[in-house]
Amino acid sequence: MARILLIEDDQAIRSGLALALGRHGHDVREAGTGEQGLRALGSTPPDVVVLDLMLPGIDGFEVCRRIRADGDLPIIMLTARGDDLDIVGGLEAGADDYVVKPVQPRVLDARVRAVLRRGAPAEHGARERHHDLTIDRAALTVHKGEVQVSLTPTELRLLLELSRAPGQVLSRRQLLELVWEHDYLGDSRLVDNCVQRLRAKIEDEPSRPVFVQTVRGFGYRFGPV
């Protein structure tokens, strides 16, 4: 069971999703505006936020940026349509995943469970050192030099998958399957935006990446460093 904060201004949609997600075993709190949602975060922190973008007052993009500025809480955004600008804007604001309304509750439940699995310890192993980047696969921590890097569960899972075999190229489809657990190639924006955010946190010069390198026409690889 996950504690979900559902921020959606349409009461009918909000109530329907809350009821359905509750039937999937989740504890759902509701907020009808961005302001209410941000206040709710201060009481009992949820495990994941499901966030509509088109909100009155503070819109979903700004709510997403404020949540991300405070920490690594997973965010799944709801969009009214598959508008590229909305999707790209939401991902750039720090969302981990997106679903297009109307969404089937079982699909949203699957996305919630997938995003939470990214932060769960899944393996044992020694600490790996790649130049000044240290990855601890058991503790799920990453250090740049002596400083711990704060990564969202999605960013961390992406780094773990890429660094599992330095030098090996992984396609966007492979990364979608490994990290997001779905393989619709149209969602490759998820990969590209997450790579950009990851580079901003671990690279000395994100425009000239050393760790997460683009292999044009194929995908991404980690190093070798």
Side-chain angles (χ1 to χ4, degrees), residues 179-194:
V179 179
W180 284 267
E181 302 183 19
H182 52 97
D183 60 359
Y184 172 50
L185 193 55
D187 288 348
S188 61
R189 292 165 294 196
L190 290 169
V191 179
D192 296 335
N193 277 276
C194 194

Side-chain angles (χ1 to χ4, degrees), residues 6-112:
L6 173 61
I7 307 176
E8 163 66 62
D9 66 315
D10 188 308
Q11 184 173 355
I13 294 175
R14 189 174 70 245
S15 298
L17 284 177
L19 180 62
L21 290 171
R23 288 173 175 164
H24 281 277
H26 301 298
D27 178 12
V28 184
R29 285 186 296 152
E30 302 176 40
T33 67
E35 290 86 345
Q36 291 174 4
L38 291 171
R39 283 197 297 272
L41 289 171
S43 52
T44 304
D47 298 314
V48 58
V49 174
V50 176
L51 173 66
D52 184 29
L53 290 181
M54 296 297 105
L55 295 169
I58 301 176
D59 66 21
F61 299 101
E62 181 60 23
V63 173
C64 188
R65 280 190 284 270
R66 293 190 189 187
I67 294 174
R68 190 56 69 233
D70 283 342
D72 305 323
L73 185 64
I75 302 168
I76 299 173
M77 62 181 184
L78 295 170
T79 66
R81 58 190 186 282
D83 186 295
D84 284 350
L85 291 178
D86 281 357
I87 293 171
V88 171
L91 295 174
E92 288 180 345
D96 296 274
D97 203 348
Y98 73 92
V99 292
V100 177
K101 295 189 291 187
V103 58
Q104 292 294 321
R106 61 181 174 77
V107 173
L108 185 54
D109 170 60
R111 296 293 181 91
V112 167

Side-chain angles (χ1 to χ4, degrees), residues 129-186:
R129 191 171 180 86
H130 308 274
H131 189 48
D132 62 345
L133 192 71
T134 304
I135 302 171
D136 189 324
R137 292 181 177 274
L140 296 179
T141 58
V142 176
H143 285 76
K144 176 81 170 172
E146 299 300 322
V147 179
Q148 183 167 346
V149 181
S150 178
L151 299 177
T152 69
T154 305
E155 293 161 356
L156 176 61
R157 183 60 63 186
L158 178 62
L159 178 59
L160 292 176
E161 295 298 344
L162 283 168
S163 62
R164 197 179 302 280
Q168 176 182 334
V169 179
L170 293 175
S171 69
R172 290 173 174 81
R173 184 186 295 275
Q174 287 175 303
L175 290 169
L176 280 169
E177 292 174 347
L178 291 168
V179 179
W180 284 267
E181 302 183 19
H182 52 97
D183 60 359
Y184 172 50
L185 193 55

